[in-house]
Amino acid sequence: MKTAAVMAVALVGASPVSAQQVEVGTGGVAKFGPVRQLLVDGYDIKTGFSDNNGGAYMILQKATSAYLCHSSPNQVCEKLN
């Protein structure tokens, strides 16, 4: 689980803001990339791993819904089911 926590930091907070999808929501509050939003929405990190090119991957799940997220070069989450 420690690896998953490291991947969460890599995907959520360690990448520069310019690499994240940044939108300004109501009240001028900035919303960051899809991993952070999934975590806010109650998804749990089930596993995480990296590839030899420095990319980080995570699988997030909530009930029967799951996403595969990749960090490099841009943060992308793909619905698995």
Side-chain angles (χ1 to χ4, degrees):
M1 194 61 173
K2 185 176 180 180
T3 302
V6 171
M7 296 300 165
V9 170
L11 286 167
V12 176
S15 59
V17 173
S18 62
Q20 296 180 352
Q21 299 171 0
V22 178
E23 301 173 23
V24 177
T26 51
V29 177
K31 296 187 287 184
F32 296 95
V35 171
R36 181 174 180 184
Q37 189 59 50
L38 289 169
L39 292 172
V40 167
D41 291 345
Y43 282 79
D44 294 321
I45 299 169
K46 292 300 178 180
T47 190
F49 53 93
S50 63
D51 62 23
N52 292 335
N53 298 322
Y57 294 84
M58 286 185 359
I59 295 179
L60 292 93
Q61 182 180 1
K62 179 172 130 179
T64 60
S65 180
Y67 286 86
L68 171 65
C69 300
H70 183 254
S71 68
S72 182
N74 295 319
Q75 206 178 93
V76 177
C77 290
E78 180 180 339
K79 189 156 178 58
L80 295 175
N81 55 353

